[in-house]
Amino acid sequence: MKKLLNTLYVTSPHSYLALDGENVVVLEEKLEIGRLPLHNLEGIVAFGYKGTSPALMEACAEKNISLCYLSPQGKFLGRVTGTIKGNVLLRKAQYQIAEEEAKSLAIAKNCIIGKVYNARWVLERALRDHSMQVDYERVKKATEYLKESLKAIRNCESKNELRGYEGEAASVYFSVFDEMILQQKKDFLFQGRNKRPPLDNVNAMLSFTYTLLANTTAAALETVGLDPYVGFMHCDRPGRISLALDMMEELRAVLADRFVLTLINKRIISAKDFQKRENGAVLMKDTARKQILIEWQNRKKEVITHPFLQEKVEWGMVPFVQSMLLARYLREDLDEYPPFLWK
């Protein structure tokens, strides 16, 4: 269990939540593994199927503490709230800001600043750790471009302008992405980003991992009461989780891309895990998807220090922290939305 920003996260899939006096108690095999006073909490998020006692559910409803349930893999299952809850006001603020160009642009800019900043440091990390294996000048030129593009992004005045800078930065980043593929280069040749359908092994893995990240981010937004379908940069479209796509931009390079590179460079995934169709589309075999899911769950358990909170969190909790920070900004508890800036 982990408390972050007045929310209790119970990440063990075998935990049962109960009430003891004014405390929430976390039990495993009827043994207490933790407890926390309810008056310190705004929400409880449980990853698992064991459940919650009716007494705790009643106490949470009375105290306006939301109870959110996710599968052990992070899929949003549902939320239980009392008769009065601030989610309505929070979503009203979200919808209002989504319609206001200046305010929604400010949030969108911070998301893209996070994306470009993190992409730059992924490349800088490659230069530091593998200077003899990469084309140093080529990669350094890309990092300098990304550094300069951050200035342009901060000063841009419209979403169309922002999308242009984001697209150019992404193109430069992916133009040197192949330099970070250090093993199995023949089987994992990367010549640029392509999708719908992916045309090579690397793009097939990137698309699959981005889907995992998008689903995790959407679930995180649901837990804090935000609408994952109403974004600030990605346009509204039926069935598209626009806000989740906005929020995951910050984590594409630093979490998803680095994860894919690890799978390749550590030879966890190989050429035999893919098949190519007659139309050129490359698909992963079922065995590869299962292995990637296992490795993804392991990666999410790795602990880092969150750059804004300066607290130890698991990688898998970062989308939840960012969602809480966005909610706090929308409630005017923060002066601006702080993007995740990794280094």
Side-chain angles (χ1 to χ4, degrees):
M1 54 182 280
K2 174 75 172 178
K3 181 186 172 187
L4 290 168
L5 296 176
N6 298 104
T7 298
L8 173 65
Y9 289 89
V10 183
T11 55
S12 170
H14 307 296
S15 294
Y16 179 78
L17 306 181
L19 182 69
D20 182 15
E22 293 294 312
N23 300 294
V24 55
V25 179
V26 183
L27 304 170
E28 282 195 15
E29 301 296 332
K30 298 184 179 180
L31 295 176
E32 180 179 326
I33 63 170
R35 67 169 51 217
L36 207 63
L38 283 176
H39 69 262
N40 289 338
L41 297 176
E42 294 177 359
I44 300 173
V45 180
F47 292 75
Y49 300 112
K50 287 291 185 179
T52 304
S53 74
L56 177 60
M57 294 180 70
E58 179 184 10
C60 288
E62 290 177 351
K63 298 177 184 297
N64 290 325
I65 300 171
S66 68
L67 274 167
C68 291
Y69 298 94
L70 293 87
S71 73
Q73 292 74 37
K75 178 182 178 182
F76 180 78
L77 300 176
R79 184 192 305 109
V80 179
T81 61
T83 56
I84 302 173
K85 186 62 186 173
N87 288 343
V88 172
L89 298 178
L90 176 62
R91 290 202 176 196
K92 278 188 175 181
Q94 177 189 356
Y95 299 150
Q96 181 178 348
I97 290 177
E99 297 298 322
E100 297 183 22
E101 177 71 17
K103 290 184 178 179
S104 60
L105 176 62
I107 299 173
K109 283 166 67 171
N110 278 7
C111 290
I112 300 306
I113 285 171
K115 175 179 183 175
V116 175
Y117 179 96
N118 290 333
R120 179 183 175 228
W121 283 106
V122 167
L123 295 179
E124 288 284 356
R125 180 72 68 91
L127 289 177
R128 187 194 72 184
D129 296 343
H130 308 288
S131 60
M132 301 300 293
Q133 295 173 271
V134 304
D135 185 333
Y136 191 93
E137 293 302 321
R138 182 178 175 224
V139 176
K140 191 63 179 178
K141 183 178 179 181
T143 69
E144 291 301 318
Y145 179 91
L146 295 179
K147 182 180 179 180
E148 291 301 313
S149 71
L150 287 170
K151 300 176 184 177
I153 291 169
R154 290 189 180 96
N155 295 323
C156 73
E157 298 179 348
S158 72
K159 290 183 185 178
N160 283 335
E161 190 179 359
L162 177 61
R163 293 185 185 102
Y165 289 131
E166 184 271 335
E168 291 174 5
S171 179
V172 168
Y173 167 74
F174 279 121
S175 73
V176 296
F177 189 81
D178 62 299
E179 292 290 338
M180 295 184 287
I181 299 174
L182 308 176
Q183 303 293 331
Q184 308 186 86
K185 292 188 75 76
K186 181 180 178 181
D187 295 325
F188 290 91
L189 181 66
F190 183 84
Q191 296 179 315
R193 182 79 177 108
N194 53 67
K195 49 191 174 181
R196 292 189 293 271
L199 302 176
D200 58 64
N201 298 346
V202 180
N203 275 292
M205 295 172 70
L206 287 173
S207 292
F208 183 66
T209 306
Y210 289 160
T211 299
L212 296 177
L213 180 57
N215 290 336
T216 298
T217 306
L221 292 165
E222 288 272 15
T223 65
V224 300
L226 288 167
D227 187 340
Y229 291 89
V230 178
F232 303 112
M233 178 173 170
H234 288 83
C235 298
D236 294 345
R237 184 183 301 170
R240 182 163 79 169
I241 47 176
S242 297
L243 183 56
L245 297 178
D246 289 349
M247 298 290 289
M248 68 177 277
E249 293 289 1
E250 305 163 35
L251 301 177
R252 282 182 186 267
V254 71
L255 180 53
D257 295 354
R258 290 177 67 240
F259 172 72
V260 168
L261 290 168
T262 296
L263 295 177
I264 297 171
N265 290 334
K266 290 191 174 181
R267 300 181 181 272
I268 297 170
I269 297 295
S270 63
K272 64 180 176 58
D273 292 311
F274 301 85
Q275 57 186 10
K276 194 165 189 175
R277 289 185 170 177
E278 292 182 1
N279 65 353
V282 174
L283 303 177
M284 288 186 295
K285 296 179 181 178
D286 288 342
T287 52
R289 280 194 291 270
K290 291 177 182 177
Q291 184 63 44
I292 289 175
L293 286 171
I294 292 172
E295 297 297 332
W296 179 249
Q297 291 302 111
N298 290 336
R299 174 58 63 90
K300 290 199 298 181
K301 294 176 184 176
E302 294 180 6
V303 176
I304 62 166
T305 299
H306 191 280
F308 182 78
L309 297 183
Q310 288 300 304
E311 289 188 35
K312 297 287 185 181
V313 299
E314 296 177 349
W315 265 119
M317 297 304 301
V318 173
F320 293 86
V321 175
Q322 295 306 122
S323 296
M324 286 191 290
L325 292 173
L326 176 60
R328 290 202 163 196
Y329 168 69
L330 295 177
R331 291 191 180 107
E332 300 184 346
D333 294 334
L334 293 174
D335 293 333
E336 65 174 349
Y337 165 67
F340 181 83
L341 303 177
W342 176 81
K343 191 173 179 180

